[in-house]
Amino acid sequence: MNTRMLINGELVEGAATLDVVNPANGKVFATIARADEGQLEEAVAAARAAFPAWSKLTYEERGAMVGKLADALEARKEELAQLLTREQGKPAAQAMGEVIGGIYQLRFYASQRHEPQIIKEDAKSRILEHRTPLGVVAAVTPWNFPFMMVTQKIGPALVTGNTVVAKPAPTTPMCALFIAEEAAKIFPAGVLNVIVDENELGGPLTAHPDIAKVSFTGSTGTGRKVYASGADALKRITLELGGNDAAIVLDDVSPKEIAPKLFNGAMINAGQVCLAIKRVYAPASIYDELCDELAQLAKDAVVDDGANQGAQIGPVQNRMQYEKVLGFLEDARENGTVLAGGDRLDRDGYFIAPTVVKDIPDSARLVREEQFGPVIPVLKYDDIDEVIARANDSEYGLGGTVWSADLDRGVEVAMKIDSGTVWVNKHLDLPFDVPFGGAKQSGIGREGGDEGVSAYTQKHVINVALN
């Protein structure tokens, strides 16, 4: 288990240390290297020095090294998945899914190419679009997907010719250090640097004059600070922020059939997914039945240490988020009817009982804000236009779902939801070749697909006179 950071091609100790806690028992399981501002400066300087040579390599050469990183991680996937569960808390099967997804993600990006293209040609001129790398990229990642969020950012950044300083969330730094250990054997010095902090280096990193682009995934509040920090230098910034995703259930579905899909969409990773279902709107005709089905699923769910066989829902990842979710539960008890769960579990670690709440008003905190925990508010509606307006009445607009037996009807409703991605009769389907991102205060820019790769490049137009 690597506990050192990667700076300028070397695995190094930190100026200080950081304790990493297993959320399933609340106990420290590792003490790792932690950077100060001096080591941050070293990492940025190393990335800047490495950029000229790295950017001159071909896509094939850079992609081959990104592919080698994927191979090295795949060879250790069992070890990596166990580490992921230990630091993040998610059940083992979900952890392995994240690991495999991140490895495939690296392979996808390793295959991408942005060669010059003729965008216009006539008798007088030929116009080429050429894309060039930006420089040093700051990749700042969250604690809910500590492996896949790193691969999502370093893959396109590296293959397009940028160098990277990655900073994982301080409560889940181990997967990033695992990547660093293998990357140190593959990439030239300075191409990929990984530093760890206790949330004090985010501002200096994103505002650093030698950072050309910031790719940040996290809360909307922190995203606003990141956006402001890049304003003076007009940095390129991609923000994938919070969500309060609505699931609109139409009146032509079976509550018994749809309830498990809604429950899984809300409770995956203990609800700690930006694109998880955060509020369910059900028509009056099936409202009570659907609430009862969801409540039974919550009561039957196995909540346990993700390392234990049979665990379906793990702990909330950290104490700060745990306390925040407990506040939402208090709001739920005061403003709605709790059908299942509604409190912490009496055991070590940050466990909260899966909770289903009905008869709660749109004005409640649990409905207005992003709970980011295992809690589902279910709201009743009578009119489809009314519920679309209610779903859209949010500062967020990351994702959403519509559930209907009539696909055309489902698509018609989905087209009216003001979110970056809306699924019909499925959830969390995110192919690597399809861009995703948020509307409103859920983000700026896109990750994934050609658009996500292009975000790490500068468009360079060459206009040639032919006569």
Side-chain angles (χ1 to χ4, degrees):
M1 183 171 62
N2 177 43
T3 61
R4 294 176 293 171
M5 301 180 294
L6 176 59
I7 299 176
N8 200 25
E10 299 291 333
L11 295 174
V12 301
E13 299 295 342
T17 59
L18 178 71
D19 289 336
V20 185
V21 172
N22 182 340
N25 57 28
K27 297 178 182 178
V28 173
F29 75 91
T31 299
I32 65 171
R34 174 181 150 203
D36 61 6
E37 286 207 39
Q39 289 182 305
L40 165 62
E41 291 290 342
E42 290 175 18
V44 175
R48 185 180 181 186
F51 174 71
W54 180 252
S55 62
K56 288 177 183 175
L57 296 179
T58 65
Y59 271 93
E60 285 71 21
E61 291 169 323
R62 294 190 298 258
M65 281 184 261
V66 173
K68 285 181 181 179
L69 178 60
D71 292 342
L73 294 170
E74 184 173 31
R76 301 178 65 187
K77 64 183 180 182
E78 299 288 345
E79 179 186 357
L80 178 52
Q82 291 171 13
L83 179 63
L84 200 165
T85 290
R86 202 171 183 190
E87 73 166 342
Q88 201 280 330
K90 66 185 60 177
Q94 292 181 30
M96 181 57 76
E98 179 178 341
V99 168
I100 292 172
I103 291 167
Y104 286 171
Q105 199 170 47
L106 286 175
R107 292 204 172 109
F108 168 77
Y109 287 122
S111 69
Q112 297 305 291
R113 305 289 181 265
H114 268 299
E115 305 295 351
Q117 294 183 343
I118 297 174
I119 58 175
K120 183 178 179 181
E121 185 170 17
D122 55 29
K124 295 182 179 180
S125 65
R126 178 184 299 121
I127 303 176
L128 307 174
E129 180 182 291
H130 176 221
R131 290 195 170 270
T132 57
L134 297 168
V136 182
V137 171
V140 184
T141 57
W143 46 258
N144 58 334
F145 286 89
F147 179 70
M148 203 165 178
M149 291 294 100
V150 178
T151 60
Q152 181 186 80
K153 297 181 187 303
I154 68 173
L158 293 174
V159 80
T160 51
N162 301 280
T163 53
V164 177
V165 178
K167 188 187 83 66
T171 59
T172 55
M174 301 301 295
C175 286
L177 295 184
F178 196 106
I179 292 171
E181 183 178 15
E182 295 303 324
K185 308 169 189 175
I186 296 168
F187 295 99
V191 168
L192 176 62
N193 305 270
V194 180
I195 62 170
V196 174
D197 73 340
E198 203 168 16
N199 270 340
E200 75 278 13
L201 297 181
L205 175 61
T206 59
H208 198 288
D210 291 335
I211 295 294
K213 175 182 170 66
V214 179
S215 180
F216 170 82
T217 299
S219 72
T220 294
T222 304
R224 293 190 190 106
K225 296 176 183 178
V226 172
Y227 197 48
S229 73
D232 287 346
L234 298 178
K235 297 182 191 296
R236 304 303 188 261
I237 294 181
T238 299
L239 303 174
E240 200 258 290
L241 306 178
N244 192 7
D245 297 7
I248 298 178
V249 180
L250 302 189
D251 58 7
D252 55 7
V253 301
S254 161
K256 191 173 186 65
E257 290 179 7
I258 208 71
K261 299 175 183 178
L262 295 170
F263 186 81
N264 292 335
M267 295 295 178
I268 185 173
N269 198 23
Q272 301 166 119
V273 183
C274 295
L275 286 157
I277 293 173
K278 307 287 177 36
R279 47 197 168 120
V280 175
Y281 293 91
S285 60
I286 62 171
Y287 180 75
D288 289 333
E289 186 181 353
L290 180 60
C291 287
D292 290 344
E293 291 288 345
L294 289 169
Q296 191 60 53
L297 289 167
K299 293 172 184 176
D300 293 343
V302 179
V303 183
D304 200 358
D305 183 336
N308 292 338
Q309 188 173 4
Q312 295 173 312
I313 298 175
V316 173
Q317 198 281 317
N318 58 80
R319 177 166 289 280
M320 182 181 295
Q321 185 62 24
Y322 176 68
E323 297 293 342
K324 183 178 179 180
V325 176
L326 290 177
F328 280 113
L329 294 180
E330 183 178 347
D331 173 70
R333 289 191 294 268
E334 291 177 356
N335 293 293
T337 301
V338 176
L339 298 178
D343 211 340
R344 71 187 80 200
L345 295 179
D346 187 17
R347 64 178 78 164
D348 290 338
Y350 309 135
F351 290 97
I352 289 175
T355 300
V356 176
V357 184
K358 69 181 294 191
D359 301 330
I360 189 166
D362 287 15
S363 59
R365 280 189 61 215
L366 182 59
V367 180
R368 299 299 302 173
E369 301 177 30
E370 180 184 35
Q371 68 269 40
F372 223 64
V375 188
I376 314 173
V378 189
L379 301 102
K380 186 187 299 184
Y381 75 87
D382 295 304
D383 176 78
I384 192 64
D385 291 329
E386 164 225 337
V387 77
I388 290 170
R390 289 165 64 191
N392 286 336
D393 183 21
S394 172
E395 66 179 10
Y396 298 107
L398 189 57
T401 56
V402 179
W403 304 86
S404 176
D406 184 334
L407 290 182
D408 290 338
R409 189 179 175 211
V411 170
E412 182 181 359
V413 173
M415 296 285 279
K416 298 175 183 178
I417 303 301
D418 191 8
S419 293
T421 300
V422 183
W423 292 277
V424 178
N425 293 342
K426 61 180 176 178
H427 188 238
L428 282 179
D429 179 22
L430 292 168
F432 300 141
D433 56 351
V434 176
F436 74 93
K440 296 184 280 189
Q441 294 192 43
S442 284
I444 294 173
R446 292 292 181 267
E447 302 269 16
D450 185 71
E451 188 174 352
V453 176
S454 297
Y456 290 89
T457 66
Q458 172 64 48
K459 184 181 290 187
H460 190 201
V461 173
I462 311 296
N463 195 327
V464 182
L466 297 181
N467 57 45

